[in-house]
Amino acid sequence: MNLDKPLDQLIAEHKPARGRRGGRNDARVNARRLRRDAPYPTTNKALAPADLATRILRVSSQSDSKSVAGSIAHISRAGEPPVVTAVGANSSNQAIKAVAIARNYLVQDEIDVGCLVQIVKDEEITHNLQLTIVKRARREPAENLEAFELKVKRESDPAKTAGAIAGKAREGVRVSVTCATFGAETVYCAIESIAIARQYLAKDGLDITAYPSFLSVQLDDGMRTAIRFELLISQI
């Protein structure tokens, strides 16, 4: 280093270039970032035999829904299904899409998966979703039984929708919830409605398992895909 140069020039010459950092410290930072952004903490092989407390798939808004769906399907084939968690409407939307895709992946295995929807209350975190995945033998849909369809929009009141779900469930009526508008906020409104309805029905000894699927909708500008939840009411 030539110390006869002006101080400003010395600093400019030896200042690290932006975007070109490297070395051991940066490798550690990148490794931490990858672990933080990963939708699940470990391999499917390790998760499958794990207990419920650690058999968790964490989904972010950047998670690939098909990859998460593959994990759900793999773990469900191997044993007990996982728990899927997400924070925020966009992350929750990815999680629900993953469950819907996993159902298609499991068709050849004669397995179907649904979810017990729960909104975990936290003072610092809103939209904290937990989906406990449950599996059963795949059944052919009953063609002669029509479901009462509730349509949910982004601005729908989840408590009122939950009341309608619970009322029909007590009457023994099959219920489905369809997202009538598109976007993550509408999906989350439907999720929250189902979670609240579970609370309403717990006093009656009933519970709801939600089975999400994709629904093609014809609009003026072409076909769009919406989410529909078929609700299975069962005794606790």
Side-chain angles (χ1 to χ4, degrees):
M1 179 185 298
N2 186 356
L3 297 180
D4 294 331
K5 294 181 180 180
L7 179 60
D8 292 343
Q9 185 176 349
L10 288 172
I11 294 173
E13 289 178 354
H14 294 280
K15 183 178 180 180
R18 293 184 64 184
R20 296 178 61 85
R21 294 184 301 170
R24 188 172 299 174
N25 289 337
D26 291 320
R28 290 173 181 159
V29 170
N30 290 334
R32 286 197 299 269
R33 184 179 296 115
L34 287 171
R35 288 196 297 269
R36 180 195 65 198
D37 295 338
Y40 29 83
T42 185
T43 64
N44 295 333
K45 185 177 181 180
L47 278 173
D51 58 53
L52 186 60
T54 55
R55 199 168 59 251
I56 298 174
L57 303 179
R58 295 180 175 88
V59 179
S60 75
S61 60
Q62 303 302 315
S63 297
D64 179 60
S65 54
K66 290 183 179 179
S67 295
V68 179
S71 295
I72 293 172
H74 177 89
I75 297 168
S76 298
R77 290 187 191 103
E80 291 301 313
V83 172
V84 178
T85 64
V87 177
N90 291 327
S91 300
S92 299
N93 185 38
Q94 293 300 98
I96 290 297
K97 288 194 293 185
V99 177
I101 296 169
R103 295 184 67 200
N104 292 330
Y105 288 169
L106 290 166
V107 168
Q108 297 300 321
D109 302 278
E110 297 295 328
I111 295 173
D112 199 3
V113 290
C115 48
L116 301 174
V117 181
Q118 182 180 0
I119 306 298
V120 181
K121 297 297 182 181
D122 191 296
E123 293 181 357
E124 298 180 357
I125 302 176
T126 59
H127 297 348
N128 197 7
L129 175 69
Q130 178 174 299
L131 303 175
T132 301
I133 307 300
V134 296
K135 73 175 182 179
R136 65 174 184 176
R138 183 169 292 275
R139 304 172 185 173
E140 291 296 326
E143 298 181 357
N144 58 338
L145 292 178
E146 294 186 3
F148 178 80
E149 184 179 28
L150 286 168
K151 294 185 177 181
V152 173
K153 298 181 180 179
R154 179 177 181 175
E155 61 273 15
S156 297
D157 184 341
K160 290 183 179 179
T161 304
I165 294 172
K168 292 297 180 181
R170 293 186 186 103
E171 296 172 5
V173 177
R174 295 177 69 240
V175 183
S176 67
V177 177
T178 301
C179 296
T181 54
F182 303 98
E185 292 293 341
T186 303
V187 174
Y188 191 85
C189 183
I191 294 169
E192 189 173 8
S193 300
I194 296 168
I196 296 172
R198 290 186 67 208
Q199 297 174 6
Y200 291 167
L201 290 171
K203 299 176 182 178
D204 302 286
L206 300 174
D207 203 357
I208 300 173
T209 306
Y211 291 84
S213 60
F214 297 108
L215 176 68
S216 296
V217 179
Q218 179 67 53
L219 299 178
D220 293 338
D221 58 349
M223 297 295 293
R224 295 284 298 276
T225 301
I227 297 287
R228 170 184 284 172
F229 298 86
E230 298 291 341
L231 305 184
L232 176 65
I233 313 301
S234 58
Q235 295 282 344
I236 298 176

